[in-house]
Amino acid sequence: MCGIFGYCNYWIEKTRGEILNTLVEGLERLEYRGYDSTGIAIDSSLLIKQIGKVDSLKKEINKINLDLNDIFVSHVGIAHTRWATHGQPKKINCHPQSSDPDNNEFIIVHNGIITNFRDLKTFLIQKGYNKFQSETDSECIAILFKYIYDNNIQNGIKLKFNDLTKLVLLELEGSYGLLCRSIHYHNEIIATRKGSPLLIGVKSNKNLKMDFIDVEFPDDLKDQDDILSDVESYILPDKNQNHNETLSSYSFPNNKETPSTFTHNTQNLINDNLLPIAANEFNLRHSQSRAFLSEDGFPAPIEFFLSSDASSVIKHTKKVLFLEDDDIAHIYDGELHIHRSRREVGASMTRSIQTLEMELAQIMKGPYKHFMQKEIYEQPESTLNTMRGRIDFDSNNVLLGGLTAWLPAIRRARRLIMIACGTSYHSCLATRAIFEELSEIPVSIELASDFLDRKSPVFRDDICVFVSQSGETADTMLALNYCLERGALTVGIVNTVGSSLSRATHCGVHINAGPEIGVASTKAYTSQYIALVMFALSLSDDRVSKQKRRGEIIQGLKLIPGQIKAVLNLEPRIKELCDHQLKNQRSLLLLGRGYQFASALEGALKIKEISYMHSEGVLAGELKHGVLALVDENLPIIAFGTRDSLFPKVVSSIEQVTARKGHPIIICNEGDEVWTKKAEGSDLITLEVPQTVDCLQGLLNIIPLQLMSYWLAVNKGIDVDFPRNLAKSVTVE
Ligand code: UD1
Ligand code: F6R
């Protein structure tokens, strides 16, 4: 989860200071998405990077002696704010990333993950492109641009920027929102996306015809010679396969040099109404997309704002074009062209330029009213990101890079202690059983504060696992220091890269859920849960007796993102329950057993912290030891009745409730006939979720509770993102 911003001005005089301000302001707007490091590229190839927030970047810019009054009639700048997933937040890992440290020939900013970056890197190094500077996956994109560019130049071919991009994209696997600029394509920029949002804001004072842009396909260009007198004939990329190589070399027909740059003189020419001559002189390229020509047919002064998020564009313009996956936007000479590598049946031939009617706060939250709701809905994606590049679903292999070297030591441990607070503690509870089953190491779980209060004994051969979204929680950090002092091996399961906990532990796993802004933890819980399961899977990968179970769990994990999406469809039902059965209730019991005890505790925590309604998670087996006294026809009860080995016991606990006139709401598996039958002719309410492997069921069961806590709070008029008395990161004891 990073932020991309690009700014291009054509035939509008802007000082370097103004350009820098626009880029920096754009980043400030994106900071809420990721904020551990930032960077910009301006002029022909100047890179400025800094760790920390945009403020630190501003200071870094001020340190450099730049003439802020220099004027650029046309200029392309790109910028990035990062939430590290690949590579620690260090200067070398900040974007923009470049193809070569000496000349920065190709400079990119990238959101997303390139999953085949290791193969690409190996290939490029073999080819002599070995000046990798960073630990990022993104750097290989910039170097790949240079490799393909150089190869073609050696064959006497200068590709157009968009054609070069098509060849680069052919080699990338994974997801990307990507901007690229180059000293070889002066004042041109490429913007392309796959699975990561990217949009282009357009601003001009001239009356432009700006309703839509034609999409350009390779064949079209061939047919359009009459219109495109300046465009060379074009053939589809022809992979000249060399079977020993991962990458292929490509050849394209000779292409025209890029047009010369527009200098200060151009503005004078525009001012003097001499643009027709200038246009000729500078060999202006035309295509079938004339959307950005003014009424007199000449290019108009224009600005483009490229961003991963409309929040940074809205200040400048409300006219935006949202790129679609595989679109390649090519901007040069004030024109915007959208290319695609191939024509798909039924695909739209145009991209419309829409007028945004939203306010800023609305945009940051997307269609959601609160960050919490947004984060609940992000879970299909965030859980996938936790697993991305780490699980091979074909071979049932799990590779947690941050743990590999430590696994032999961990396997030798006599015991493992998981230590955390709040929701993070619940993720430990939810996964303890599967951890013990797979690793065959006894696991104890500890609330950090209690662990410290007891001064629990810790030994050198203990493995202590610290789970934290923020990586800054004071109790967890103190417990970590306590264990470090006693010589234990410490492992972190952390969302925030570069956080204190991530840095201080010996090793660990970043859960890669992206920034969590809502105070109530939602997507971090499901990602921690998955990270801990992956940890257990890694520990057991050498045990033959566990292979069947491991395979079952890994295949179960593959389906989880899609199944979470299905559970989110329950929202209207849940909202209705909150509007009626649960309205004005003062208290709520949640019953769960086995794997679902953690769901009960986590559900209860969500409800109390957000809706201020008393709620209590109870181990269903404990009901008869006291809690049953509370049950009557009025007390709302939610019970987890999904299928696992404890199902008969859960049914019996729920029967104890109904026998006391209780009306539980049952979270059960889709079409489960036990509950369907019980619901017939009774007022038993069911919320059906898909079935998965027993140890993963909690990932799906918690979603209805997250939604319920959200709607209970909204109905009470509570500001869900800022519940009273709570802060996102608890950095005090
Ligand atoms: C790491 C890189 C990732 C790169 C991948 C492949 C980072 C943040 N991640 O991901 O960019 O694509 O290698 O080479 O650089 N760690 C702790 N404590 C914690 C969490 C993590 O010490 O609480 C350590 C890990 O042991 C590891 C490093 O931080 O050394 C990165 O962890 P993680 O991001 O989980 O590793 P990979 O998934 O391998
Ligand atoms: C609940 C919640 C808290 C945190 C707890 C630990 O929704 O957010 O209970 O889980 O304060 O925080 P981290 O995980 O940042 O250590």
Side-chain angles (χ1 to χ4, degrees), residues 213-272:
I213 301 277
D214 295 328
V215 178
E216 297 173 36
F217 300 95
D219 293 342
D220 296 350
L221 290 170
K222 248 168 79 189
D223 299 341
Q224 305 266 337
D225 283 352
D226 46 339
I227 308 172
L228 313 174
S229 54
D230 284 349
V231 176
E232 293 294 310
S233 66
Y234 181 102
I235 56 165
L236 274 169
D238 168 30
K239 277 201 178 187
N240 176 11
Q241 298 285 350
N242 178 338
H243 296 293
N244 297 326
E245 296 179 352
T246 328
L247 285 174
S248 338
S249 20
Y250 306 97
S251 71
F252 266 75
N254 204 348
N255 204 349
K256 217 180 277 279
E257 276 291 315
T258 44
S260 337
T261 49
F262 286 88
T263 61
H264 296 39
N265 298 339
T266 319
Q267 187 63 44
N268 298 336
L269 293 170
I270 295 168
N271 294 344
D272 295 342

Side-chain angles (χ1 to χ4, degrees), residues 421-424 468-471 473 519-521 528 605-606 609 730:
C421 305
T423 291
S424 299
S468 173
Q469 186 287 128
S470 61
T473 302
V519 165
S521 192
Q528 288 165 343
L605 177 63
K606 283 293 88 89
E609 75 175 313
V730 187

Side-chain angles (χ1 to χ4, degrees), residues 499-558:
S499 60
S500 307
L501 208 141
S502 160
R503 288 200 310 270
T505 38
H506 291 102
C507 58
V509 182
H510 290 116
I511 64 170
N512 297 343
E516 194 179 62
I517 295 172
V519 165
S521 192
T522 51
K523 63 175 180 170
Y525 177 74
T526 42
S527 285
Q528 288 165 343
Y529 191 135
I530 290 178
L532 286 165
V533 171
M534 291 195 298
F535 185 3
L537 288 165
S538 307
L539 282 173
S540 59
D541 64 2
D542 59 345
R543 285 176 195 269
V544 180
S545 60
K546 305 287 178 202
Q547 293 317 307
K548 189 162 169 281
R549 179 74 160 140
R550 287 182 76 256
E552 175 193 39
I553 296 169
I554 291 171
Q555 292 311 309
L557 282 171
K558 186 177 176 182

Side-chain angles (χ1 to χ4, degrees), residues 577-590:
L577 286 175
C578 296
D579 291 344
H580 299 102
Q581 281 87 343
L582 298 174
K583 196 173 176 193
N584 298 329
Q585 295 286 356
R586 293 172 56 84
S587 192
L588 174 73
L589 278 194
L590 289 108

Side-chain angles (χ1 to χ4, degrees), residues 667-683:
I667 296 180
C668 62
N669 292 125
E670 283 163 352
D672 189 322
E673 54 191 29
V674 168
W675 299 118
T676 326
K677 274 201 192 120
K678 283 188 189 297
E680 274 166 20
S682 80
D683 48 10

